Amino acid sequence: MGEAPAFFEDDLQGDFPNGLLLKSKGCETAVNIGCNKTYVIGATEKESACTIGVRIFDKSTSKWVIPTVLGTKPKPLGGHSAIALDEDRILVIKGNSTSDDCFWFLEVNTAFVREQKTRFGTEVVAWSKGVIGESEKPIVISGPSGVGKGTLISKLMEEFPSMFGFSVSHTTRAPRNNEQNGVHYHFTERSVMEKDIKDEKFLEFAAVHGNLYGTSIEAVEVVTDRGKRCILDIDVQGARSVRASALEAVFIFICPPSFEELEKRLRSRGTETEEQIQKRLRNAKAELEQGNSPGLFDHILVNDDLEKCYKNLKKLLGLGECVKTTKIPVPKLVHIPLEHTVSKIDQKILINCTAPKQEKSAPNMFMLDLSSTKGGAPGRTRGLSIYAVEPSTNGVIGSEVLS
Ligand code: ADP
Ligand code: 5GP
């Protein structure tokens, strides 16, 4: 199945076309990248049921290398195909799965992977899940504590529940009375969070008012996977980190009408001790200065009158009354059977499902277009599109698969 044959165990012999011979065991696939490296992808006997192994055979040294594997790994594949896209990435297509979970990219030499190779001092590969279609840019909302960020975000989510989703941050601070774990924050032990930061699971993190706060890559991805626009409520340091990351977002800074009013709101909320209020007010001074840093925020809104500020927020997000019912078409799920072959034409991948157990009317050939992909490890690779192809039209692309 796919470009490369399936292999099993790893007994090396010299004159195999790929420079290696593997004793067959089930569902491993080998892909050559450049002249020297062969990537073997699949579950081996030693690996547990929930991981997919990656091994690299370096032909220049005739040695196997086990790389550091980053990113969210695909669940074990009953069978898969794999094809080298270029010198940087391998496309892995899971068989017997649907298009919301069957396209995975194994990055072997992208900028992110090269950076991590230097950091870890080892071979590194990174998984990135492929997502059909694009979602709107996430919205980063920053501003000093007590300015009304949470209030504005709640209003937006209440009015447009199907359009927006909240990125649930991790924090080491204790929950407030009304706060639920997994809803307002993922309340976490510092040691656990520090380990996850080390393992590259966070898009950004910062020490804020004496605690650690951070946005996990997963927090943003789960919202966008549901077809919703993600809202991040993070401090200015976090906004700066996201600005420097690969994530494209809209950055909004919320200002109080005056410092006195900010203090009044913080006190009236009644969630912090006097000591914490003092700390937050001290930090607010620096945050207000940084909010005006050139090139950091795209929009600055003053939250004086709540309704007025909310109206302005909606306006800059392009939300009028009429958008309430607008629904973005969600790509229809395409089933890729276990038996399929793949071939590559520029940035397009032809997937031929040779033994379809689908309804007779269902197409059995698809074209996956990778020409507009965005993002990548350690997050998702977005912007894939899939088309049904009529075999009779000699590969002429049919209509895009949308519901
Ligand atoms: P943040 O999330 O930025 O820390 P909150 O949304 O919790 O701030 O708001 C802090 C307090 O200020 C809350 O009690 C909220 O009801 C109140 N508040 C928010 N916006 C306004 C406003 N425009 N005018 C008066 N009070 C406000
Ligand atoms: P609070 O303790 O009031 O919930 O939040 C304190 C500050 O932490 C707020 O300014 C909020 O925007 C910020 N914050 C919340 N989550 C994150 C996060 O994931 N990353 C960063 N950098 N800041 C966060």
Side-chain angles (χ1 to χ4, degrees):
M1 189 170 61
E3 181 200 47
F7 297 107
F8 305 110
E9 281 292 87
D10 54 341
D11 255 357
L12 288 180
Q13 300 200 359
D15 51 358
F16 194 74
N18 282 341
L20 78 164
L21 178 62
L22 303 160
K23 267 194 241 151
S24 267
K25 196 187 62 177
C27 51
E28 290 192 327
T29 308
V31 179
N32 289 323
I33 298 278
C35 309
N36 281 334
K37 287 183 181 165
T38 301
Y39 290 79
V40 177
I41 303 159
T44 66
E45 242 167 332
K46 287 177 210 117
E47 273 138 12
S48 72
C50 59
T51 58
I52 287 164
V54 179
R55 292 174 292 155
I56 307 167
F57 183 66
D58 187 334
K59 290 175 211 163
S60 64
T61 57
S62 289
K63 288 214 166 91
W64 284 102
V65 179
I66 305 295
T68 302
V69 182
L70 301 175
T72 309
K73 301 171 186 77
K75 293 260 156 55
L77 322 164
H80 65 276
S81 56
I83 189 166
L85 294 175
D86 40 43
E87 299 283 292
D88 298 347
R89 294 185 302 169
I90 295 167
L91 173 69
V92 175
I93 304 179
K94 282 170 69 168
N96 201 18
S97 58
T98 44
S99 46
D100 57 342
D101 186 43
C102 67
F103 303 118
W104 290 79
F105 295 87
L106 184 70
E107 298 192 4
V108 297
N109 197 32
T110 54
F112 171 74
V113 168
R114 287 197 299 274
E115 207 178 285
Q116 300 308 316
K117 280 181 188 174
T118 313
R119 194 177 146 233
F120 284 93
T122 59
E123 269 291 349
V124 171
V125 295
W127 285 104
S128 170
K129 182 176 170 177
V131 178
I132 307 284
E134 270 195 68
S135 46
E136 283 197 85
K137 284 182 189 174
I139 304 155
V140 171
I141 297 190
S142 280
S145 183
V147 75
K149 302 179 296 295
T151 309
L152 289 163
I153 292 168
S154 298
K155 281 174 82 65
L156 206 55
M157 306 245 307
E158 254 166 52
E159 191 177 355
F160 304 98
S162 63
M163 203 173 273
F164 297 101
F166 186 61
S167 157
V168 181
S169 293
H170 283 63
T171 183
T172 59
R173 89 149 158 75
R176 293 172 186 149
N177 282 342
N178 62 338
E179 286 179 332
Q180 273 174 270
N181 191 26
V183 176
H184 299 90
Y185 280 105
H186 297 289
F187 296 99
T188 317
E189 293 287 323
R190 185 174 274 265
S191 58
V192 175
M193 195 163 161
E194 282 173 347
K195 160 101 177 42
D196 286 348
I197 290 170
K198 217 169 140 208
D199 289 347
E200 293 284 324
K201 291 189 180 162
F202 279 82
L203 176 68
E204 63 78 30
F205 62 92
V208 189
H209 317 313
N211 283 299
L212 208 52
Y213 292 77
T215 310
S216 70
I217 292 161
E218 203 59 24
V220 176
E221 301 295 8
V222 291
V223 174
T224 30
D225 282 356
R226 278 188 227 124
K228 293 186 178 188
R229 193 168 185 188
C230 187
I231 305 178
L232 288 78
D233 173 348
I234 59 176
D235 86 320
V236 179
Q237 306 168 76
R240 212 180 278 284
S241 302
V242 176
R243 193 46 116 181
S245 79
L247 186 79
E248 280 186 65
V250 176
F251 294 78
I252 302 169
F253 188 75
I254 314 287
C255 274
S258 67
F259 201 79
E260 291 68 35
E261 174 63 18
L262 180 72
E263 182 167 355
K264 205 170 113 198
R265 287 183 198 172
L266 203 48
R267 288 187 188 286
S268 70
R269 191 169 68 186
T271 49
E272 270 76 31
T273 62
E274 180 57 28
E275 192 192 343
Q276 285 162 347
I277 289 174
Q278 291 303 332
K279 192 183 263 182
R280 284 176 183 240
L281 288 173
R282 274 197 304 278
N283 290 341
K285 288 213 168 87
E287 286 196 272
L288 288 169
E289 270 167 34
Q290 289 176 46
N292 287 313
S293 305
L296 182 51
F297 290 97
D298 302 307
H299 307 278
I300 297 181
L301 289 178
V302 179
N303 183 16
D304 189 350
D305 175 73
L306 181 62
E307 288 312 318
K308 203 169 128 204
C309 182
Y310 180 56
K311 208 167 154 196
N312 287 335
L313 175 64
K314 287 199 290 183
K315 208 161 143 194
L316 69 85
L317 294 175
L319 299 166
E321 282 305 307
C322 55
V323 282
K324 246 185 202 179
T325 53
T326 307
K327 232 183 140 217
I328 304 159
V330 178
K332 200 175 170 178
L333 289 187
V334 169
H335 179 260
I336 304 293
L338 206 54
E339 289 295 315
H340 66 266
T341 56
V342 288
S343 45
K344 181 174 170 290
I345 312 150
D346 298 324
Q347 287 299 301
K348 294 192 171 68
I349 308 293
L350 186 66
I351 307 165
N352 190 355
C353 308
T354 48
K357 284 200 175 119
Q358 299 162 302
E359 310 141 38
K360 280 210 174 81
S361 59
N364 66 357
M365 229 193 252
F366 297 99
M367 186 73 87
L368 181 71
D369 189 346
L370 303 177
S371 57
S372 311
T373 57
K374 279 191 183 156
R380 308 282 196 264
T381 300
R382 298 188 181 277
L384 282 66
S385 46
I386 191 159
Y387 303 84
V389 180
E390 288 292 336
S392 56
T393 57
N394 254 344
V396 173
I397 298 167
S399 56
E400 191 165 2
V401 182
L402 286 173
S403 54

